[in-house]
Every structure is written in structure tokens, then in C-alpha cells.
């Protein structure tokens, strides 16, 4: 019978912690950049000008339909060959997952924006707001509120997708777990602990997001049921 | 003094001609009730005047200046023409006070304290001082519409457009909204009012316009149009409306 022994894993807790920090660094960067870029892509795609809408649509579709692993390899190995810059694993990972998540966030933003009733646009225009003012003050605040669950879903997906960075030797949580597993010959225990860490971190994020939703719910319109 | 001059206003949706050449002059202080069966183009007429819909032909002249079609001009004109919608269209993420302040802050760039003070005065004017901190979701339909009226009033409009302001309300809430509109009428506000409330139109309007097939079919004083209509279609319309009244 297999005897579970977690002591070798706990002895390497420092490595796991460093891995977690790196995972959070990539995820955080990709989330922050992805949201900003995603909003920009969504606004471009919604634009009536084809010169803005088409390139945005192209970027969104390419990054939504190709495997993230290929995207990562491409930014890490191919891009340096083409433009002659040195890519660190972190930079490649940050760029890949920023653009990749921006493609998904763009669709979430777009869905949220078009879900706002026409009457809201009209009320904003009727008091003399310009299109950008109406978007910023009236439409986006309501849209973002409706988008929180979808954003959360994408953020969780993103954090798990970042495990791919191990393939370009970036020392994230899973990369660290792999090292520990090989060193201690305790893969079951190590990967179980790693999974547990993902579970705890993501659950904490989820709870925080639900609290945020509930705070927004004071105005009566809510996504919490 | 004419403040609004509409000439040859036409609008079609696809192959359906909704407005076919409307001419209309509105003098300062006039209160014009616009009546007509559904589909007669009354809402579209209102919505073309502040360019919520783009007219296909015709001109709108405000204070002697023809309104062009550039975005900047349209935005400027909308700041001077207030609109109240059938569905209220309050901003749900803002309190009643926030709704009324929004135009002052974002469009007029008024300092916060000044905008808040002005918004409080407008809420008092519609009798809702005690609801300033409430979100729209916690207001009744009548209260929502009164906030929407305060929101329009805060921009000091030269002309107010009411697009069936009581049609979405429960019957017992209609009175409070009409009361506010009547008070504005007594203050001398210039307004165009699309409504099905014939009694209200009779008592508050200075002129009544009956629209049919996208054109002005008959117009005159409330007594002329509502008590003694000359045209057959006006008579038929009024008869239908009185059918179930006591």
C-alpha cells in the first residue's frame, strides 16, 4: 500500500512559494494589460469605422482560435528571430497571455456594452452628452457590473492557462512543483499540494469577486441572485 | 416669438413613410399637445426635433439658426432641448440626485457642490427632495418619471419634449406626473407633449395637433380640435378615445 508522505514537499515550501509568486506575477500582468487592451479592442470592434473594426476583429479571432501553447512558443522563439529582440520567459509569457486574454475580455466587454438598453444611450444623448461621454459615464459602468461573472470566469481560466509557461522554463508554481517532484520522488504529494494552492488562491479570488458584486448591488440591479 | 421652426420634416423607416413633410412653428411659452393613433408618427416627430432620429429631409431651426448634421451641432442642440421618455430611462447606477446632476457635471462641467445644489432644487421642484439618495430601482414609476423630468429641467432647456410621459405608468401614478407637467406649464415652459391623456391636453395645451399618416391633419386651440373637430378622422379618433370613458 502507498504511504503518503508530505514532509519532503513541506521541506521545499520556499520553492513552491516562489513559484506561486511568479504565477501571480504573470497572471496579474496579463489580467491588467488584458483588461485595458480588451476594452480598446472591444471599442474598436464596435466602431462604425471599418479601419478600426476589422483589425480588432482579426486580432480577437486569431488569439481566440489558436492554442495558447503555440502562441507562447511563437512569442518566445519566433518573434525574437523576426524582430531581433531578446525575450525573457517572463516577457514572452506576459505578452502572450496579455494579448490572449484581451481577445477574450474584448468579447466580454462587447457583449456587456451591447446588452445595455438603447434607452440609456438616448437618455445620455438627450442631455447633450457626446458619444464618448455617454460610453464612459453611462454605458460602461453598467456594462462592467454585468460582466463581473464573465470576467471572473476568464481570470480563473487565465490563471490555469499560465501553467503553460513551464514549457519555456519560467519558474511558475507548476514548474516548481515539477522540480520538487523529481527531486523528492514524491510526485503525487507535490502535485496534490500544488493543486491545493491553486484551489485556495482561485477560491479566494472568487469570494472577493462575489463581495464586489454584492457591493454593486446597492443600486438594485444585480447579478447576484 | 418663434423659438422652433420645423420645415418639411420627413422620415421613413425602410419603405414605410412615418413623417411626410411636417411644418411646425413653436412660439415661446406655447404648449402643444400632439395627438394621433399609434403609428401616426407623433413620437418620431418629437424624436426628429432633437435628432434622436435623423430626419431624411427637412430642417429644424432653433432660435433662427438651422441645425446642421454635424455631431457637435447636434450635441449642442440637445443640450437646449430637454426630453422626457415614456420608459423614463433613468441611469440605474446613479441615485436620483446623481441622475439630475449628471448633465450638469459631465456636459456643463459644473463644480460638484454647485451641481448638487442645483439638482436638489430641481428635485424639490418635482416634489422629490426626500428621494435624492434613492436609486431608481427603489422608486415608483411616477417617482422615476418625476426624476427624469428634473434631469431634463436641470439643463435649463428652452423647449421640453414629452414622449408619452405617462403611458408606462399604473393609472394611480399618472396624476402625480401630470401634476408636475401642469406646474411647469403654469411657469411658462415651452413644451411639446405627445400624449393619450385627452383631458390633460385640453386643460394644459395652448394648441392641439392631430397627426395622421405622418402629416398634420388638423390643428387649433384645444376647444377647436377636441370639442369641435372639423375633420372626419379627428372625430373618429376622439370617438374611439371616449368610447370607454364614463
Amino acid at each position: 500500500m502507498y504511504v503518503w508522505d508530505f514532509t519532503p514537499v513541506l521541506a521545499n515550501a520556499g520553492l513552491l512559494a516562489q513559484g506561486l509568486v511568479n504565477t501571480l506575477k504573470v497572471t496579474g500582468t496579463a489580467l491588467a494589460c488584458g483588461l485595458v487592451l480588451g476594452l480598446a479592442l472591444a471599442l474598436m470592434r464596435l466602431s462604425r469605422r471599418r479601419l478600426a473594426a476589422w483589425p480588432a476583429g482579426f486580432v480577437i479571432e486569431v488569439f481566440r482560435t489558436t492554442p495558447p501553447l503555440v502562441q507562447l512558443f511563437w512569442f518566445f522563439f519566433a518573434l525574437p528571430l523576426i524582430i531581433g529582440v531578446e525575450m525573457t520567459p517572463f516577457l514572452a509569457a506576459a505578452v502572450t497571455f496579455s494579448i490572449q486574454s484581451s481577445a477574450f475580455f474584448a468579447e466580454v466587454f462587447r457583449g456587456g456594452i451591447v446588452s445595455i438598453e438603447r434607452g440609456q444611450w438616448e437618455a445620455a444623448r438627450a442631455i447633450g452628452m457626446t458619444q464618448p461621454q455617454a460610453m464612459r459615464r453611462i454605458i460602461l459602468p453598467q456594462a462592467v457590473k454585468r460582466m463581473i461573472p464573465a470576467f471572473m470566469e476568464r481570470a480563473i481560466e487565465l490563471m490555469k492557462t499560465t501553467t503553460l509557461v513551464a514549457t519555456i522554463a519560467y519558474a511558475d508554481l507548476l514548474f516548481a512543483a515539477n522540480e520538487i517532484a523529481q527531486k523528492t520522488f514524491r510526485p503525487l504529494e507535490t502535485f496534490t499540494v500544488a493543486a491545493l494552492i491553486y484551489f485556495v488562491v482561485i477560491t479566494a479570488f472568487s469570494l472577493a469577486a462575489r463581495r464586489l458584486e454584492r457591493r454593486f448591488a446597492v443600486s438594485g440591479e444585480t447579478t447576484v441572485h | 416669438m418663434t423659438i422652433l421652426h420645423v420645415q418639411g420634416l420627413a422620415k421613413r423607416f425602410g419603405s414605410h413613410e412615418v413623417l411626410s413633410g411636417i411644418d411646425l412653428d413653436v412660439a415661446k411659452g406655447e404648449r402643444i399637445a400632439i395627438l394621433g393613433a399609434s403609428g401616426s408618427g407623433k413620437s418620431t416627430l418629437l424624436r426628429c426635433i432633437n435628432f434622436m432620429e435623423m430626419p431624411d429631409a427637412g430642417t429644424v431651426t432653433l432660435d433662427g439658426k438651422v441645425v446642421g448634421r454635424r455631431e457637435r451641432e447636434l450635441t449642442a442642440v440637445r443640450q437646449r432641448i430637454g426630453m422626457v421618455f415614456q420608459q423614463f430611462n433613468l441611469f440605474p447606477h446613479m441615485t436620483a440626485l446623481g441622475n439630475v446632476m449628471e448633465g450638469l457635471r459631465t456636459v456643463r462641467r459644473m463644480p460638484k457642490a454647485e451641481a448638487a445644489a442645483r439638482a436638489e432644487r430641481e428635485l424639490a421642484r418635482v416634489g422629490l427632495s426626500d428621494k435624492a439618495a434613492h436609486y431608481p430601482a427603489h422608486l415608483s414609476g411616477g417617482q422615476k418619471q418625476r426624476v427624469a423630468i428634473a434631469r431634463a429641467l436641470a439643463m435649463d432647456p428652452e423647449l421640453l419634449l414629452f414622449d408619452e410621459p405617462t403611458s408606462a405608468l399604473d393609472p394611480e401614478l399618472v396624476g402625480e406626473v401630470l401634476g408636475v407637467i401642469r406646474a411647469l406649464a403654469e411657469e411658462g415652459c415651452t413644451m411639446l407633449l405627445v400624449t393619450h391623456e385627452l383631458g390633460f391636453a385640453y386643460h394644459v395645451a395652448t394648441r392641439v395637433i392631430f397627426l395622421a399618416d405622418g402629416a398634420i391633419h388638423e390643428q387649433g386651440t384645444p376647444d377647436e380640435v377636441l370639442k369641435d373637430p372639423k375633420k372626419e378622422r379627428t372625430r373618429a379618433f376622439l370617438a374611439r378615445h371616449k368610447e370607454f370613458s364614463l
Side-chain angles (χ1 to χ4, degrees):
Chain A
M1 221 194 90
Y2 188 77
V3 182
W4 293 80
D5 180 10
F6 286 92
T7 42
V9 184
L10 297 178
N12 287 290
L15 257 173
L16 282 177
Q18 185 54 49
L20 177 62
V21 168
N22 285 344
T23 289
L24 290 177
K25 251 164 63 181
V26 172
T27 308
T29 309
L31 265 180
C33 298
L35 280 173
V36 175
L37 199 59
L39 177 60
L41 284 172
L43 294 178
M44 280 170 72
R45 196 171 197 182
L46 284 167
S47 163
R48 255 167 281 163
R49 294 199 189 90
R50 285 178 186 177
L51 221 61
W54 285 7
F58 179 75
V59 170
I60 291 169
E61 289 316 321
V62 164
F63 278 86
R64 278 192 338 150
T65 52
T66 52
L69 183 65
V70 178
Q71 295 166 8
L72 186 62
F73 280 0
W74 206 86
F75 276 106
F76 188 60
F77 297 113
L79 195 64
L81 291 178
I82 297 169
I83 60 169
V85 290
E86 195 73 19
M87 271 291 195
T88 65
F90 173 76
L91 192 60
V95 170
T96 305
F97 293 119
S98 293
I99 302 179
Q100 198 236 356
S101 49
S102 79
F104 283 98
F105 285 142
E107 288 302 277
V108 176
F109 271 118
R110 191 169 69 102
I113 289 168
V114 300
S115 79
I116 303 297
E117 302 72 29
R118 217 170 70 126
Q120 290 293 309
W121 280 104
E122 293 191 345
R125 308 306 300 277
I127 52 173
M129 283 195 193
T130 62
Q131 190 108 0
Q133 284 172 338
M135 180 63 93
R136 185 170 52 83
R137 296 285 308 162
I138 308 303
I139 306 302
L140 269 182
Q142 297 182 61
V144 165
K145 217 156 78 173
R146 292 185 191 178
M147 290 182 292
I148 293 173
F151 275 137
M152 209 51 226
E153 200 53 46
R154 281 315 309 173
I156 291 172
E157 210 54 48
L158 171 67
M159 184 159 173
K160 290 191 290 181
T161 312
T162 60
T163 53
L164 293 173
V165 295
T167 58
I168 56 168
Y170 180 69
D172 79 328
L173 180 53
L174 207 62
F175 185 89
N178 201 24
E179 267 194 349
I180 297 168
Q182 287 176 15
K183 204 165 64 180
T184 61
F185 302 106
R186 285 285 172 187
L188 285 182
E189 288 86 343
T190 317
F191 286 118
T192 303
V193 170
L196 208 64
I197 296 174
Y198 278 103
F199 171 76
V200 169
V201 171
I202 291 176
T203 306
F205 276 145
S206 290
L207 289 176
R210 292 203 59 103
R211 284 184 63 138
L212 193 67
E213 278 181 64
R214 227 167 278 141
R215 245 190 54 197
F216 278 143
V218 287
S219 63
E221 204 200 46
T222 173
T223 47
V224 183
H225 293 290
Chain B
M1 190 185 88
T2 303
I3 57 170
L4 180 81
H5 174 66
V6 174
Q7 191 164 33
L9 204 66
K11 175 74 184 174
R12 53 169 64 243
F13 292 119
S15 62
H16 176 56
E17 190 168 48
V18 188
L19 295 178
S20 49
I22 301 269
D23 298 323
L24 176 67
D25 278 310
V26 181
K28 192 167 168 54
E30 255 196 303
R31 301 180 294 276
I32 302 177
I34 302 170
L35 310 178
S38 61
S40 60
K42 45 193 195 312
S43 281
T44 307
L45 169 60
L46 224 56
R47 293 165 56 82
C48 280
I49 288 174
N50 73 342
F51 298 92
M52 285 286 118
E53 305 282 356
M54 261 331 142
D56 297 324
T59 56
V60 174
T61 311
L62 190 64
D63 265 342
K65 274 185 73 179
V66 177
V67 181
R69 298 296 163 87
R70 280 203 314 252
E71 186 62 28
R72 183 189 294 266
E73 284 177 80
L74 300 183
T75 305
V77 161
R78 292 189 188 115
Q79 289 174 32
R80 298 167 57 188
I81 301 179
M83 188 171 216
V84 175
F85 301 88
Q86 183 179 350
Q87 299 295 339
F88 331 130
N89 296 346
L90 288 186
F91 307 132
H93 57 307
M94 297 177 184
T95 62
L97 191 72
N99 268 274
V100 183
M101 284 173 69
E102 186 54 28
L104 299 172
R105 295 280 290 140
T106 304
V107 178
R108 289 272 168 80
R109 310 248 172 240
M110 196 183 270
K112 196 169 183 179
E114 198 183 325
R118 174 69 202 265
E120 275 166 20
R121 281 206 301 281
E122 294 303 340
L123 282 179
R125 206 167 157 192
V126 299
L128 288 175
S129 296
D130 56 329
K131 302 287 181 193
H134 285 55
Y135 283 93
H138 301 134
L139 297 174
S140 73
Q143 290 167 341
K144 281 183 201 170
Q145 193 60 299
R146 283 148 71 197
V147 173
I149 293 173
R151 177 174 69 181
L153 287 175
M155 301 301 285
D156 287 318
E158 296 157 49
L159 171 69
L160 270 170
L161 307 175
F162 290 94
D163 188 5
E164 301 198 29
T166 58
S167 296
L169 295 176
D170 290 335
E172 74 271 21
L173 301 175
V174 168
E176 60 186 80
V177 172
L178 293 184
V180 167
I181 299 174
R182 182 201 290 268
L184 294 175
E186 281 160 9
E187 287 174 34
C189 289
T190 312
M191 54 178 80
L192 291 180
L193 171 72
V194 169
T195 186
H196 293 293
E197 305 282 343
L198 297 187
F200 184 72
Y202 180 76
H203 290 292
V204 169
T206 54
R207 177 162 37 137
V208 175
I209 289 177
F210 178 71
L211 280 189
D213 297 334
I216 295 179
H217 194 65
E218 182 165 0
Q219 63 174 317
T221 64
D223 272 317
E224 286 167 356
V225 178
L226 296 172
K227 286 275 165 85
D228 183 25
K230 300 280 176 291
K231 302 269 181 94
E232 187 48 46
R233 286 185 73 172
T234 318
R235 253 179 251 150
F237 171 81
L238 294 174
R240 268 200 308 282
H241 266 260
K242 286 170 188 158
E243 202 171 352
F244 293 107
S245 61
L246 295 173

